[in-house]
């Protein structure tokens, strides 16, 4: 019962509800949330800390960046999804937040496209720095051997 109450208390604030709604649609960094919400970095970071401690959000560290997403799995993840499902999407602050999130996603897409255009000619070498192609090929062959090929194709 205490865990449920902790989750409900954490979600019972406007900005934290907005953050939950956004993180249900994308993994976001603090700086992206600051841009979308129009609030200061310390304030957004404090809200994120409370949501993570309550188990409603998960924090994933990748290098120097931390990404936040809605908690997965049972328990608090179920509560987080239920809360987000109850949020109005038409004519609300949440709808405006989702519009600003789409603008952030467009920036991501533009940056990714520019990166790949700059590096297309050298892509095989760059990929080899991060992924062992032999390991990928072996993993794919193992999957094919474990399951009939037709089961891998969505018919």
């Amino acid at each position: 019962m205490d865990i449920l109450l902790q989750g409900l208390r954490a979600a019972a604030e406007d900005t934290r509800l907005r953050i939950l709604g956004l993180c249900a649609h994308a993994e976001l960094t603090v700086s992206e949330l600051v841009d979308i919400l129009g609030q200061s970095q310390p304030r957004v970071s404090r809200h994120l800390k409370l949501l993570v401690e309550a188990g409603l959000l998960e924090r994933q560290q990748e290098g120097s960046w931390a990404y936040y997403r809605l908690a997965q799995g049972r328990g608090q993840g179920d509560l987080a999804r239920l809360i987000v499902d109850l949020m109005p999407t038409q004519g609300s602050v949440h709808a405006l937040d989702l519009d600003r999130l789409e603008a952030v996603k467009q920036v991501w897409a533009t940056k990714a496209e520019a990166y790949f255009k700059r590096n297309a000619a050298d892509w095989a070498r760059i990929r080899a720095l991060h992924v062992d192609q032999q390991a990928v090929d072996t993993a794919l062959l193992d999957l094919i051997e474990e399951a009939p090929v037709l089961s891998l194709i969505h018919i």
Side-chain angles (χ1 to χ4, degrees), residues 131-150:
V131 178
D132 177 9
Q133 189 60 46
Q134 183 62 39
V136 171
D137 292 345
T138 301
L140 287 172
L141 288 172
D142 289 347
L143 281 173
I144 291 171
E145 289 175 5
E146 290 177 16
V149 173
L150 288 179

Side-chain angles (χ1 to χ4, degrees), residues 69-88:
R69 68 175 179 217
L70 214 59
Q72 305 297 305
R74 312 236 353 116
Q76 295 303 78
D78 289 338
L79 176 61
R81 282 185 296 287
L82 177 62
I83 290 169
V84 169
D85 287 346
L86 292 172
M87 295 175 72

Side-chain angles (χ1 to χ4, degrees), residues 20-32:
L20 284 175
L22 289 163
C23 289
H25 294 276
E27 290 187 6
L28 298 164
T29 64
V30 174
S31 58
E32 291 163 343

Side-chain angles (χ1 to χ4, degrees), residues 45-56:
S45 292
R46 173 77 177 133
H47 288 306
L48 287 166
K49 181 179 185 290
L50 292 171
L51 290 166
V52 169
E53 287 174 351
L56 300 175

Side-chain angles (χ1 to χ4, degrees), residues 59-67:
R59 182 179 188 273
Q60 176 69 36
Q61 190 75 35
E62 290 185 24
S64 61
W65 295 97
Y67 292 87

Side-chain angles (χ1 to χ4, degrees), residues 79-151:
L79 176 61
R81 282 185 296 287
L82 177 62
I83 290 169
V84 169
D85 287 346
L86 292 172
M87 295 175 72
T89 55
Q90 300 293 346
S92 66
V93 172
H94 181 54
L96 295 173
D97 287 343
L98 293 177
D99 288 344
R100 286 189 289 272
L101 174 60
E102 285 306 312
V104 167
K105 287 180 177 182
Q106 285 298 321
V107 169
W108 294 344
T110 301
K111 286 181 179 179
E113 183 179 348
Y115 174 83
F116 287 112
K117 279 184 180 178
R118 276 192 320 271
N119 295 291
D122 204 23
W123 187 244
R125 185 190 65 77
I126 293 170
R127 185 180 65 195
L129 295 173
H130 304 285
V131 178
D132 177 9
Q133 189 60 46
Q134 183 62 39
V136 171
D137 292 345
T138 301
L140 287 172
L141 288 172
D142 289 347
L143 281 173
I144 291 171
E145 289 175 5
E146 290 177 16
V149 173
L150 288 179
S151 70

